[in-house]
């Protein structure tokens, strides 16, 4: 990708005419094509005119800069330059909550027709990177999938109900990043209403687990037989009998994370979050009782409605078991020692279901979805596994570099080629699908591995905790110009590993946690060692 194709490195992406906020590299955003009449939740204040700040990633080693730094620039271009678009009010703001300005949100990708009002994509992109890089855009992206009903605000109640709960985690993260008290109150209201609806309709009291398909798999290629069965002429999971009864690892781990997130949000609002914590504890127990496989040292994929366990490996499920706190330390050690890697990364599910093979991999089976791989990459960093984390980030950087910086939806796990995978289609026979280009969550997933994995940016109610994971030989590396609330940070990592040996802020020894009220520009240096 040429320099002309990159977006505002070290600068701001701003609305045209915003004074005093744009530095070198400023890029004007699209103007609002209709009057920006204020509505409920509209916040046309000056800070909202600063849409994005784009920190630079700088490796001292030129070869690493070419591989990781160039793909980082491509990821910023994908999210900011290609997929940040105007939010038509009639489609994306039915609850009248979006802010105009900026009047933009992040769509799912460049290969899909409009509209793209999709809960999972919105929540994942905000959670991955958008809320950090552009808080007003992250806020709009999250609120673009909220509806206003007679009972109040709730995440849109479409037929992919299992997507709704990831919104709570994206919203919780947005509050931790921004400290936005107004958003916190609204997000808590929306999250409580959404979780209550799902518990009333999609909870199995007999198993103590939530029912429905898995986080990633809205396509039937993501499931073995049964619930797949021949003769059904559809790719959509719910068109197959019994799929609504599945109890999946990834989805239940997300519910556990949502309960703990709502408890923390409640506490911050002066409300009682103990019931959420109790629900989380019961759900964690049920997941480990029903889905943990002590004989194999890993988790199964899902329970059938009759309680029998499918023992396939689910990449997103293993990642969320670690990231949501479902898996304990001993379980994490075991599952990371037994997890199956394909040559180009962690796949969606493994092994091949009977109707697929290396020549015709299933669309949601043995293929690399960069978004799933990125969650697993962060989980490796969270577990302190620097060498494995380096492998994961290298896998994705090499896939993207091979397509000249293009972030596609799916890649072949054996060859690394762009691959849409095979799935039962409208004919009732396996059909090869397309891997869509300019996929936002593939790019934001790469950014997640840089921000949350490599630099260990861990946002809490008490501030920004730095818990980096630096593979051997990768340092020094700097993230320059990172905006955290009212502060601008240059963070440099040296050494290798995940244990912070020393931390200095502006040359003075300090803890590796930054106060949320920090202001101004600061230079932070961390030296790392193996645990």
């Amino acid at each position: 990708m040429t320099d002309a194709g990159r977006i505002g490195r070290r600068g701001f992406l701003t609305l045209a005419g915003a004074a005093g906020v744009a530095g070198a590299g400023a890029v004007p955003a699209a103007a609002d094509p209709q009057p920006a009449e204020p509505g409920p939740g509209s916040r046309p204040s000056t800070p909202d005119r600063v849409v994005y700040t784009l920190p630079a990633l700088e490796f001292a080693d030129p070869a690493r800069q070419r591989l990781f730094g160039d793909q980082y620039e491509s990821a910023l271009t994908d999210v900011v330059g290609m997929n940040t678009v105007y939010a038509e009010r009639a489609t994306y703001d039915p609850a009248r909550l979006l802010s105009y300005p900026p009047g933009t949100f992040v769509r799912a990708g460049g290969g899909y027709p409009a509209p793209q009002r999709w809960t999972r994509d919105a929540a994942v992109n905000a959670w991955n990177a958008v809320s950090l890089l552009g808080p007003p855009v992250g806020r709009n992206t999250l609120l673009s999938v909220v509806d206003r009903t007679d009972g109040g605000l709730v995440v849109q109640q479409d037929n992919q109900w299992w997507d709704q709960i990831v919104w709570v985690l994206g919203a919780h993260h947005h509050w931790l990043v921004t400290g936005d008290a107004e958003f916190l109150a609204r997000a808590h209201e929306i999250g409580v209403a959404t979780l209550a609806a799902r518990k009333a309709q999609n909870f199995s009291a007999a198993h103590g687990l939530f029912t429905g398909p898995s986080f990633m798999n809205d396509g039937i290629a993501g499931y073995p037989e049964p619930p797949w069965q021949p003769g059904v002429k559809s790719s959509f999971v719910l068109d197959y009998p019994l799929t609504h009864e599945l109890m999946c690892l990834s989805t239940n781990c997300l519910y556990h994370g949502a309960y703990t997130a709502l408890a923390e949000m409640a506490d911050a609002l002066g409300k009682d979050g103990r019931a959420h914590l109790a629900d989380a504890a019961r759900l964690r127990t049920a997941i480990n009782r029903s889905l943990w496989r002590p004989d194999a040292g890993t988790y199964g994929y899902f329970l059938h409605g009759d309680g029998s366990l499918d023992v396939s490996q689910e990449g997103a499920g293993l990642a969320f078991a670690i990231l949501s706190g479902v898996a304990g330390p001993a379980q994490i050690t075991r599952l990371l020692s037994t997890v199956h890697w394909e040559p180009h990364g962690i796949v969606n599910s493994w092994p091949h279901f009977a109707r697929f093979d290396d020549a015709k991999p299933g669309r949601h089976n043995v293929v690399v979805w960069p978004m799933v791989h990125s969650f697993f990459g962060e989980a490796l960093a969270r577990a302190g596994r620097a060498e494995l984390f380096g492998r994961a980030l290298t896998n994705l950087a090499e896939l993207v570099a091979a397509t000249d910086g293009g972030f596609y939806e799916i890649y072949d796990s054996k060859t690394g080629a762009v691959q849409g995978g095979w799935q039962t289609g409208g004919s009732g026979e396996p059909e090869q699908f397309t891997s869509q280009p300019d996929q936002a969550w593939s790019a934001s997933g790469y950014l997640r591995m840089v921000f949350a994995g490599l630099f260990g940016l861990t946002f809490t109610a008490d501030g920004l905790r730095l818990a980096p994971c630096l593979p051997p030989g990768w340092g020094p590396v700097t993230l320059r110009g990172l905006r955290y609330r009212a502060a601008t940070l240059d963070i440099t990592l040296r050494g290798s590993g995940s244990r912070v040996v020393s931390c200095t802020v502006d040359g003075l020894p300090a803890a590796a946690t930054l106060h949320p009220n920090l202001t101004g520009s600061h230079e932070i240096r961390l030296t790392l060692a193996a645990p």
Side-chain angles (χ1 to χ4, degrees):
M1 180 171 293
T2 65
D3 288 340
R6 295 182 177 141
I7 297 292
R9 187 174 179 179
R10 299 184 190 156
F12 298 95
L13 180 66
T14 72
L15 281 176
V21 295
V27 179
D32 189 344
Q34 58 179 299
E37 73 276 9
S42 180
R43 302 183 304 160
S45 59
T46 299
D48 276 359
R49 291 181 176 272
V50 181
V51 182
Y52 281 108
T53 58
L54 306 180
L57 179 64
E58 300 173 356
F59 285 87
D61 177 27
R64 298 197 189 282
Q65 184 64 31
R66 283 192 298 273
L67 178 58
F68 301 113
D70 284 2
Q71 308 337 305
Y72 173 82
E73 295 286 337
S74 295
L76 291 177
T77 298
D78 184 296
V79 174
V80 175
M82 297 178 180
N83 287 310
T84 299
V85 297
Y86 179 70
E88 294 284 350
R89 282 189 184 274
T91 300
Y92 297 103
D93 195 20
R96 310 299 283 178
L97 296 173
L98 272 62
S99 295
Y100 294 81
T104 52
F105 80 113
V106 173
R107 65 182 179 179
Y112 304 110
Q116 296 174 20
R117 190 172 181 248
W118 299 337
T119 301
R120 181 177 52 188
D121 297 75
V124 167
N125 282 315
W127 189 15
N128 279 349
V130 177
S131 289
L132 174 61
L133 296 175
V137 185
R139 177 182 180 278
N140 273 2
T141 302
L142 287 162
L143 295 178
S144 70
V145 294
V146 172
D147 285 340
R148 189 182 297 275
T149 69
D150 292 341
L153 298 172
V154 67
V155 174
Q156 60 178 331
Q157 300 293 289
D158 56 20
N159 65 344
Q160 291 194 200
W161 71 83
W162 60 97
D163 283 351
Q164 295 167 24
I165 205 60
V166 71
W167 188 94
V168 177
L169 295 167
H172 175 248
H173 176 76
H174 183 88
W175 162 60
L176 293 177
V177 169
T178 65
D180 186 337
E182 176 193 352
F183 180 85
L184 168 64
R186 182 166 284 143
H188 180 261
E189 172 193 351
I190 296 166
V192 168
T194 302
L195 187 53
R198 300 282 56 82
K199 189 170 184 180
Q201 299 177 45
N202 306 113
F203 183 74
S204 169
H207 294 95
L209 297 169
F210 284 87
T211 60
S214 69
F215 161 73
M216 186 57 240
N217 295 338
D218 51 7
I220 194 59
Y223 304 91
E225 180 183 9
W228 176 83
Q229 64 183 46
V232 180
K233 297 181 179 181
S234 174
S235 64
F236 184 51
V237 60
L238 292 184
D239 289 336
Y240 289 76
L242 307 180
T243 52
H244 65 287
E245 297 180 1
L246 302 178
M247 291 162 276
C248 300
L249 177 64
S250 58
T251 300
N252 277 277
C253 288
L254 288 172
Y255 275 101
H256 177 270
Y259 275 130
T260 59
L262 286 174
E264 185 175 14
M265 294 163 79
D267 289 346
L269 291 167
K271 301 177 183 290
D272 190 348
R274 288 176 294 179
H276 294 313
L277 290 178
D279 283 336
R282 284 189 289 269
L283 182 55
R284 181 176 186 267
T285 297
I287 294 169
N288 283 312
R289 179 181 63 241
S290 297
L291 294 166
W292 175 251
R293 301 173 59 207
D295 58 326
T298 191
Y299 288 93
Y301 178 11
F302 61 81
L303 289 187
H304 292 275
D306 63 7
S308 60
L309 177 64
D310 181 273
V311 297
S312 304
Q313 173 181 295
E314 185 198 10
L318 296 184
F320 293 145
I322 296 172
L323 296 174
S324 72
V326 166
Q331 290 172 302
I332 292 171
T333 298
R334 291 195 68 194
L335 75 85
L336 291 183
S337 69
T338 61
V339 66
H340 174 82
W341 292 68
E342 284 287 289
H344 289 277
I346 296 296
V347 294
N348 195 55
S349 57
W350 181 85
H352 288 295
F353 302 136
R355 61 196 188 275
F356 303 122
D357 55 33
D358 287 349
K360 293 184 176 181
R363 178 170 171 80
H364 296 83
N365 192 191
V366 185
V367 291
V368 177
W369 288 77
M371 182 264 285
V372 170
H373 179 86
S374 298
F375 278 120
F376 194 82
E378 186 199 352
L380 292 169
R382 186 82 63 87
R385 301 296 296 273
E387 292 188 5
L388 288 178
F389 170 72
R391 177 181 176 182
L393 187 55
T394 300
N395 280 153
L396 185 50
E398 289 178 344
L399 287 174
V400 176
T403 55
D404 194 26
F407 282 86
Y408 282 83
E409 185 181 36
I410 318 171
Y411 297 83
D412 190 294
S413 67
K414 299 288 188 187
T415 68
V418 174
Q419 165 67 274
W422 295 73
Q423 182 162 243
T424 302
S427 67
E429 299 297 325
E431 301 173 5
Q432 188 172 24
F433 281 58
T434 299
S435 178
Q436 297 294 341
D438 306 330
Q439 186 78 7
W441 68 18
S442 295
S444 68
Y446 184 88
L447 297 175
R448 184 188 192 100
M449 282 209 284
V450 171
F451 298 145
L454 182 61
F455 284 88
L457 305 182
T458 307
F459 299 93
T460 75
D462 298 321
L464 171 58
R465 182 169 63 88
L466 301 173
C469 188
L470 184 63
W474 283 32
V477 56
T478 299
L479 191 62
R480 193 176 305 282
L482 174 72
R483 186 75 171 178
Y484 170 57
R485 302 192 184 183
T488 302
L489 312 175
D490 293 345
I491 305 171
T492 298
L493 309 179
R494 288 180 167 82
S496 67
S498 59
R499 178 169 60 92
V500 176
V501 175
S502 67
C503 175
T504 63
V505 177
D506 300 326
L508 300 176
T513 299
L514 306 178
H515 195 277
N517 293 332
L518 187 69
T519 61
S521 297
H522 301 278
E523 183 177 23
I524 301 162
R525 295 174 179 264
L526 297 104
T527 301
L528 302 163

